[in-house]
mmCIF file of all heavy atoms in Angstrom:
data_model
loop_
_atom_site.group_PDB
_atom_site.id
_atom_site.type_symbol
_atom_site.label_atom_id
_atom_site.label_comp_id
_atom_site.label_asym_id
_atom_site.label_seq_id
_atom_site.Cartn_x
_atom_site.Cartn_y
_atom_site.Cartn_z
ATOM 1 N N LEU A 102 124.046 115.984 103.020
ATOM 2 C CA LEU A 102 122.956 115.136 103.519
ATOM 3 C C LEU A 102 123.514 113.900 104.210
ATOM 4 O O LEU A 102 123.060 113.515 105.290
ATOM 5 C CB LEU A 102 122.059 114.704 102.356
ATOM 6 C CG LEU A 102 121.141 115.788 101.790
ATOM 7 C CD1 LEU A 102 120.635 115.385 100.411
ATOM 8 C CD2 LEU A 102 119.978 116.051 102.742
ATOM 9 N N ALA A 103 124.506 113.277 103.584
ATOM 10 C CA ALA A 103 125.095 112.074 104.172
ATOM 11 C C ALA A 103 125.746 112.387 105.515
ATOM 12 O O ALA A 103 125.689 111.580 106.457
ATOM 13 C CB ALA A 103 126.111 111.465 103.215
ATOM 14 N N THR A 104 126.351 113.553 105.611
ATOM 15 C CA THR A 104 126.986 113.959 106.877
ATOM 16 C C THR A 104 125.945 114.004 107.988
ATOM 17 O O THR A 104 126.172 113.527 109.105
ATOM 18 C CB THR A 104 127.651 115.341 106.709
ATOM 19 O OG1 THR A 104 128.530 115.293 105.592
ATOM 20 C CG2 THR A 104 128.417 115.731 107.954
ATOM 21 N N LEU A 105 124.783 114.561 107.669
ATOM 22 C CA LEU A 105 123.745 114.660 108.700
ATOM 23 C C LEU A 105 123.095 113.306 108.995
ATOM 24 O O LEU A 105 122.753 113.027 110.144
ATOM 25 C CB LEU A 105 122.688 115.688 108.292
ATOM 26 C CG LEU A 105 123.164 117.136 108.392
ATOM 27 C CD1 LEU A 105 122.018 118.092 108.115
ATOM 28 C CD2 LEU A 105 123.749 117.442 109.769
ATOM 29 N N VAL A 106 122.941 112.472 107.970
ATOM 30 C CA VAL A 106 122.405 111.114 108.223
ATOM 31 C C VAL A 106 123.349 110.373 109.166
ATOM 32 O O VAL A 106 122.922 109.725 110.131
ATOM 33 C CB VAL A 106 122.215 110.338 106.893
ATOM 34 C CG1 VAL A 106 121.943 108.860 107.151
ATOM 35 C CG2 VAL A 106 121.075 110.951 106.079
ATOM 36 N N SER A 107 124.636 110.503 108.905
ATOM 37 C CA SER A 107 125.647 109.886 109.769
ATOM 38 C C SER A 107 125.514 110.392 111.209
ATOM 39 O O SER A 107 125.548 109.619 112.168
ATOM 40 C CB SER A 107 127.041 110.199 109.207
ATOM 41 O OG SER A 107 128.036 110.000 110.170
ATOM 42 N N ASP A 108 125.310 111.683 111.336
ATOM 43 C CA ASP A 108 125.201 112.294 112.669
ATOM 44 C C ASP A 108 123.907 111.869 113.365
ATOM 45 O O ASP A 108 123.919 111.465 114.530
ATOM 46 C CB ASP A 108 125.264 113.817 112.530
ATOM 47 C CG ASP A 108 125.179 114.495 113.881
ATOM 48 O OD1 ASP A 108 125.967 114.139 114.776
ATOM 49 O OD2 ASP A 108 124.308 115.360 114.065
ATOM 50 N N ILE A 109 122.795 111.937 112.646
ATOM 51 C CA ILE A 109 121.493 111.621 113.256
ATOM 52 C C ILE A 109 121.449 110.154 113.711
ATOM 53 O O ILE A 109 120.987 109.846 114.809
ATOM 54 C CB ILE A 109 120.349 111.917 112.262
ATOM 55 C CG1 ILE A 109 120.221 113.427 112.024
ATOM 56 C CG2 ILE A 109 119.016 111.363 112.782
ATOM 57 C CD1 ILE A 109 119.340 113.808 110.837
ATOM 58 N N LEU A 110 121.946 109.246 112.866
ATOM 59 C CA LEU A 110 121.887 107.815 113.208
ATOM 60 C C LEU A 110 123.104 107.359 113.999
ATOM 61 O O LEU A 110 123.154 106.219 114.464
ATOM 62 C CB LEU A 110 121.757 106.978 111.929
ATOM 63 C CG LEU A 110 120.471 107.192 111.127
ATOM 64 C CD1 LEU A 110 120.490 106.362 109.851
ATOM 65 C CD2 LEU A 110 119.243 106.847 111.959
ATOM 66 N N ASN A 111 124.078 108.275 114.111
ATOM 67 C CA ASN A 111 125.320 107.958 114.818
ATOM 68 C C ASN A 111 126.009 106.730 114.208
ATOM 69 O O ASN A 111 126.398 105.790 114.909
ATOM 70 C CB ASN A 111 125.065 107.767 116.313
ATOM 71 C CG ASN A 111 126.311 108.052 117.120
ATOM 72 O OD1 ASN A 111 127.328 108.515 116.578
ATOM 73 N ND2 ASN A 111 126.269 107.764 118.407
ATOM 74 N N VAL A 112 126.101 106.750 112.896
ATOM 75 C CA VAL A 112 126.779 105.691 112.133
ATOM 76 C C VAL A 112 127.925 106.346 111.373
ATOM 77 O O VAL A 112 127.739 107.417 110.781
ATOM 78 C CB VAL A 112 125.792 105.022 111.149
ATOM 79 C CG1 VAL A 112 126.505 104.037 110.241
ATOM 80 C CG2 VAL A 112 124.680 104.316 111.921
ATOM 81 N N PRO A 113 129.115 105.753 111.378
ATOM 82 C CA PRO A 113 130.267 106.397 110.721
ATOM 83 C C PRO A 113 130.032 106.699 109.245
ATOM 84 O O PRO A 113 129.344 105.949 108.552
ATOM 85 C CB PRO A 113 131.389 105.366 110.858
ATOM 86 C CG PRO A 113 130.973 104.464 111.952
ATOM 87 C CD PRO A 113 129.475 104.458 111.980
ATOM 88 N N MET A 114 130.638 107.785 108.796
ATOM 89 C CA MET A 114 130.549 108.157 107.383
ATOM 90 C C MET A 114 131.872 107.872 106.679
ATOM 91 O O MET A 114 132.946 107.990 107.271
ATOM 92 C CB MET A 114 130.232 109.652 107.257
ATOM 93 C CG MET A 114 130.018 110.075 105.813
ATOM 94 S SD MET A 114 129.444 111.781 105.641
ATOM 95 C CE MET A 114 130.991 112.653 105.684
ATOM 96 N N LEU A 115 131.755 107.487 105.421
ATOM 97 C CA LEU A 115 132.913 107.421 104.531
ATOM 98 C C LEU A 115 132.635 108.381 103.387
ATOM 99 O O LEU A 115 131.483 108.744 103.142
ATOM 100 C CB LEU A 115 133.102 106.003 103.975
ATOM 101 C CG LEU A 115 133.231 104.893 105.012
ATOM 102 C CD1 LEU A 115 133.261 103.530 104.329
ATOM 103 C CD2 LEU A 115 134.480 105.096 105.867
ATOM 104 N N MET A 116 133.670 108.776 102.667
ATOM 105 C CA MET A 116 133.462 109.667 101.534
ATOM 106 C C MET A 116 134.074 109.059 100.280
ATOM 107 O O MET A 116 135.227 108.653 100.287
ATOM 108 C CB MET A 116 134.089 111.036 101.793
ATOM 109 C CG MET A 116 133.737 112.037 100.706
ATOM 110 S SD MET A 116 134.421 113.667 101.045
ATOM 111 C CE MET A 116 136.144 113.406 100.653
ATOM 112 N N LYS A 117 133.252 108.991 99.223
ATOM 113 C CA LYS A 117 133.759 108.518 97.944
ATOM 114 C C LYS A 117 134.038 109.735 97.062
ATOM 115 O O LYS A 117 133.169 110.581 96.868
ATOM 116 C CB LYS A 117 132.724 107.603 97.283
ATOM 117 C CG LYS A 117 133.235 106.893 96.045
ATOM 118 C CD LYS A 117 132.520 107.371 94.815
ATOM 119 C CE LYS A 117 133.196 106.886 93.551
ATOM 120 N NZ LYS A 117 132.784 107.718 92.404
ATOM 121 N N ARG A 118 135.281 109.808 96.573
ATOM 122 C CA ARG A 118 135.639 110.915 95.676
ATOM 123 C C ARG A 118 135.108 110.644 94.281
ATOM 124 O O ARG A 118 134.943 109.502 93.894
ATOM 125 C CB ARG A 118 137.159 111.044 95.599
ATOM 126 C CG ARG A 118 137.809 111.463 96.876
ATOM 127 C CD ARG A 118 139.309 111.594 96.666
ATOM 128 N NE ARG A 118 139.914 112.128 97.869
ATOM 129 C CZ ARG A 118 139.925 113.419 98.196
ATOM 130 N NH1 ARG A 118 139.376 114.307 97.378
ATOM 131 N NH2 ARG A 118 140.470 113.835 99.305
ATOM 132 N N LYS A 119 134.900 111.725 93.518
ATOM 133 C CA LYS A 119 134.555 111.520 92.107
ATOM 134 C C LYS A 119 135.768 110.960 91.366
ATOM 135 O O LYS A 119 135.632 110.098 90.517
ATOM 136 C CB LYS A 119 134.070 112.818 91.463
ATOM 137 C CG LYS A 119 132.596 113.108 91.752
ATOM 138 C CD LYS A 119 131.957 114.026 90.729
ATOM 139 C CE LYS A 119 130.470 114.202 91.015
ATOM 140 N NZ LYS A 119 129.751 115.039 90.069
ATOM 141 N N GLU A 120 136.960 111.499 91.668
ATOM 142 C CA GLU A 120 138.189 110.960 91.080
ATOM 143 C C GLU A 120 139.208 110.773 92.200
ATOM 144 O O GLU A 120 139.242 111.579 93.125
ATOM 145 C CB GLU A 120 138.822 111.914 90.064
ATOM 146 C CG GLU A 120 137.944 112.307 88.902
ATOM 147 C CD GLU A 120 137.189 113.599 89.157
ATOM 148 O OE1 GLU A 120 137.586 114.346 90.082
ATOM 149 O OE2 GLU A 120 136.188 113.852 88.469
ATOM 150 N N ALA A 121 140.042 109.744 92.053
ATOM 151 C CA ALA A 121 141.118 109.567 93.038
ATOM 152 C C ALA A 121 142.136 110.686 92.842
ATOM 153 O O ALA A 121 142.370 111.138 91.717
ATOM 154 C CB ALA A 121 141.774 108.207 92.837
ATOM 155 N N LYS A 122 142.736 111.154 93.929
ATOM 156 C CA LYS A 122 143.774 112.183 93.814
ATOM 157 C C LYS A 122 145.062 111.541 93.283
ATOM 158 O O LYS A 122 145.306 110.356 93.471
ATOM 159 C CB LYS A 122 144.044 112.801 95.183
ATOM 160 C CG LYS A 122 142.871 113.612 95.695
ATOM 161 C CD LYS A 122 143.296 114.582 96.782
ATOM 162 C CE LYS A 122 143.910 113.903 97.975
ATOM 163 N NZ LYS A 122 144.171 114.847 99.078
ATOM 164 N N ALA A 123 145.875 112.360 92.646
ATOM 165 C CA ALA A 123 147.140 111.849 92.104
ATOM 166 C C ALA A 123 148.254 111.966 93.135
ATOM 167 O O ALA A 123 149.398 111.612 92.866
ATOM 168 C CB ALA A 123 147.505 112.615 90.836
ATOM 169 N N TYR A 124 147.936 112.456 94.321
ATOM 170 C CA TYR A 124 148.956 112.631 95.359
ATOM 171 C C TYR A 124 148.357 112.208 96.707
ATOM 172 O O TYR A 124 147.210 111.754 96.747
ATOM 173 C CB TYR A 124 149.417 114.090 95.397
ATOM 174 C CG TYR A 124 148.296 115.075 95.584
ATOM 175 C CD1 TYR A 124 147.945 115.516 96.855
ATOM 176 C CD2 TYR A 124 147.545 115.533 94.498
ATOM 177 C CE1 TYR A 124 146.886 116.400 97.033
ATOM 178 C CE2 TYR A 124 146.490 116.407 94.674
ATOM 179 C CZ TYR A 124 146.162 116.841 95.942
ATOM 180 O OH TYR A 124 145.119 117.698 96.123
ATOM 181 N N GLY A 125 149.136 112.335 97.761
ATOM 182 C CA GLY A 125 148.647 111.890 99.075
ATOM 183 C C GLY A 125 148.446 110.383 99.068
ATOM 184 O O GLY A 125 149.222 109.635 98.470
#
Side-chain angles (χ1 to χ4, degrees):
L102 286 163
T104 306
L105 287 186
V106 168
S107 162
D108 181 53
I109 292 167
L110 296 177
N111 205 7
V112 174
M114 185 173 85
L115 304 174
M116 187 178 75
K117 189 247 169 199
R118 294 182 174 279
K119 278 203 176 182
E120 302 93 17
K122 292 199 300 187
Y124 55 93

